[in-house]
Amino acid sequence: MSNFDTSMLTLLKPDNVLGFLGANGWEQYSSQPYFSVWTKGDYEVLIPKEGTRDFPSRMFEALEEISSEKDLNTETVFRQMLMSGFETLKVSTVGPSSMNGTVSLSDGVKLIGNVRDLLISSASAVIEPRRSYAGKRAGLAETFLQTARLGQTEHGSFILTVLAPVMKEETNVLPGFEPPQPYGARVVETLLNATDEAANAAKLSFEESNWFDERFVPLVTKGVNANLCSAVSNLLKIEGTERVIFSINPSSNFRPERTKVDIPATLSERFEKAAIEFRKDPPLDNVNVHGKTISFRREAVTKSGVVSIKANVGGENKRISFGLSPDDYNLVLEAHKYGHPISFTADLRKNARSYEALNIRNLKSLAGSNLFSPQS
């Protein structure tokens, strides 16, 4: 095109151009220090390497030849090349306040910030699934975040588009041991899968007393974590939002298991609670505890009570509290009277700087006398 600004060709990266050629049936014929030669049928193009002095003019000549082969105008092919190596992730907020395709400035800032948090969450989970993330990000995750781009918004609700890099990265992995998909593609797929799995868990868990341990904890290995749950909850809380939809149009190079995830705003509270639970330290199971009692508190009516002891947990002396039946409470008082430490096995749940002991069993005096009967 005569109006095409050739200076824009400097925006093209080698991965964009070579990925586009490979995906469209071109084959590399030869490679030289400053350029490579590609062919397709009777067509031949010379692709200059990045940093070549006459890169814009040489690239424009190649672009014209490629456009001729595809029977498209030069600007169209240029934009296709520019998008090569990216997949468009769409995040839609659906509700009365966004039906005209706009949102308030403050809500737009919230939308972008929470989508960014979702990408960070999934980028981190691909490297190492964890309950929550804080602090410095891994190198691959940081590179992905810096390479991702915002696309043009769309109408129909307010649709934010994110251009996620899914180009194959350079690695030191031996041939034959490469991951099935580039890192960026795995990040996008993890985001789609994790949000869908978490939404299904939230829908099923409203009537369950042990909803978090049963429904959410097993999903950590699939990329569900505190950061993701918090970001989804915040998106659902944007004023006037009735649902949030994540979607992607699969390309020939990237076909994720899920291409659309639809989450209603009614699940916002459960996502928020899951985020809080994920940030708590996980329970310590089957811990052998021994120590001396330091405090007692008894209910006036039921005569049951709560006892606290000082004991070693993870190399530090911590306060551990637990409830006792009236009979067991009296036995502990007796042990305390004679200065006897006690021991037991329990599951410990952290509560700020102390612990709560649950499922107490094998309780006895370290002086040798059995003080406790196992609790049911």
Side-chain angles (χ1 to χ4, degrees):
M1 290 179 61
S2 57
N3 294 330
F4 186 80
D5 183 358
T6 57
S7 66
M8 294 179 65
L9 292 169
T10 57
L11 297 174
L12 290 175
K13 301 298 180 185
D15 284 336
N16 296 124
V17 180
L18 302 185
F20 176 87
L21 291 174
N24 285 275
W26 291 77
E27 296 182 353
Q28 183 171 308
Y29 177 76
S30 67
S31 179
Q32 305 298 326
Y34 299 105
F35 63 89
S36 59
V37 179
W38 290 71
T39 62
K40 183 179 181 181
D42 295 331
Y43 291 89
E44 180 179 285
V45 293
L46 182 151
I47 304 297
K49 296 189 176 178
E50 194 173 24
T52 304
R53 185 177 57 184
D54 54 354
F55 180 89
S57 60
R58 293 295 185 186
M59 192 64 239
F60 185 68
E61 292 172 2
L63 192 58
E64 287 187 313
E65 186 73 1
I66 296 167
S67 301
S68 177
E69 187 277 328
K70 289 184 68 67
D71 195 25
L72 294 172
N73 64 59
T74 308
E75 185 172 356
T76 298
V77 174
F78 166 74
R79 294 192 180 281
Q80 289 179 356
M81 281 188 176
L82 201 59
M83 291 296 296
S84 178
F86 289 88
E87 291 295 340
T88 303
L89 173 67
K90 298 180 181 181
V91 184
S92 312
T93 56
V94 181
S97 63
S98 61
M99 287 305 294
N100 64 353
T102 67
V103 294
S104 70
L105 182 59
S106 60
D107 286 342
V109 171
K110 294 176 186 176
L111 178 61
I112 293 173
N114 284 293
V115 170
R116 177 179 179 273
D117 289 345
L118 277 171
L119 288 170
I120 292 172
S121 161
S122 297
S124 300
V126 169
I127 298 170
E128 181 187 1
R130 287 166 48 184
R131 291 168 63 104
S132 67
Y133 300 93
K136 188 176 180 180
R137 293 183 287 274
L140 268 179
E142 185 66 31
T143 299
F144 173 85
L145 189 65
Q146 295 299 326
T147 310
R149 293 289 183 265
L150 279 177
Q152 192 170 10
T153 57
E154 299 180 10
H155 288 273
S157 59
F158 186 80
I159 303 178
L160 179 71
T161 61
V162 178
L163 306 181
V166 294
M167 293 177 288
K168 186 175 181 179
E169 64 273 0
E170 294 295 328
T171 67
N172 295 322
V173 178
L174 293 174
F177 292 89
E178 303 93 340
Q181 291 182 353
Y183 172 73
R186 285 180 286 148
V187 171
V188 175
E189 186 163 32
T190 297
L191 188 152
L192 292 169
N193 289 345
T195 51
D196 192 40
E197 292 278 4
N200 290 333
K203 292 173 186 175
L204 294 170
S205 65
F206 276 103
E207 302 301 324
E208 298 175 359
S209 59
N210 198 28
W211 61 271
F212 179 72
D213 290 335
E214 292 290 335
R215 297 293 180 181
F216 280 86
V217 171
L219 299 179
V220 171
T221 58
K222 297 183 178 182
V224 178
N225 50 62
N227 307 63
L228 178 136
C229 290
S230 180
V232 172
S233 176
N234 290 337
L235 287 172
L236 295 172
K237 288 179 180 178
I238 291 177
E239 186 176 359
T241 297
E242 295 177 347
R243 61 199 325 104
V244 172
I245 300 173
F246 303 91
S247 62
I248 190 168
N249 295 322
S251 68
S252 59
N253 298 319
F254 176 49
R255 294 187 176 277
E257 178 183 350
R258 293 171 175 84
T259 58
K260 183 178 179 180
V261 180
D262 188 334
I263 306 178
T266 52
L267 299 181
S268 172
E269 182 180 352
R270 186 46 57 98
F271 270 98
E272 182 180 18
K273 289 182 178 179
I276 293 171
E277 292 296 323
F278 270 129
R279 289 193 170 96
K280 294 179 180 178
D281 288 344
L284 303 174
D285 296 333
N286 299 316
V287 180
N288 294 320
V289 180
H290 62 272
K292 286 191 174 183
T293 51
I294 57 173
S295 71
F296 301 84
R297 187 177 75 252
R298 169 168 263 176
E299 296 291 335
V301 177
T302 65
K303 301 301 181 181
S304 61
V306 176
V307 173
S308 295
I309 68 171
K310 275 284 187 179
N312 185 289
V313 180
E316 297 182 18
N317 283 326
K318 294 291 185 180
R319 182 188 186 100
I320 301 176
S321 301
F322 46 95
L324 295 173
S325 67
D327 289 342
D328 287 344
Y329 187 87
N330 288 333
L331 291 173
V332 172
L333 278 175
E334 189 72 10
H336 179 73
K337 176 180 177 181
Y338 291 101
H340 293 164
I342 59 175
S343 71
F344 54 87
T345 301
D347 303 327
L348 302 183
R349 183 181 292 275
K350 193 170 185 180
N351 183 12
R353 296 181 180 180
S354 62
Y355 285 87
E356 178 186 6
L358 306 171
N359 304 318
I360 298 172
R361 49 209 180 270
N362 302 324
L363 302 175
K364 61 185 68 175
S365 167
L366 288 181
S369 58
N370 272 343
L371 295 180
F372 301 86
S373 57
Q375 295 183 356
S376 57

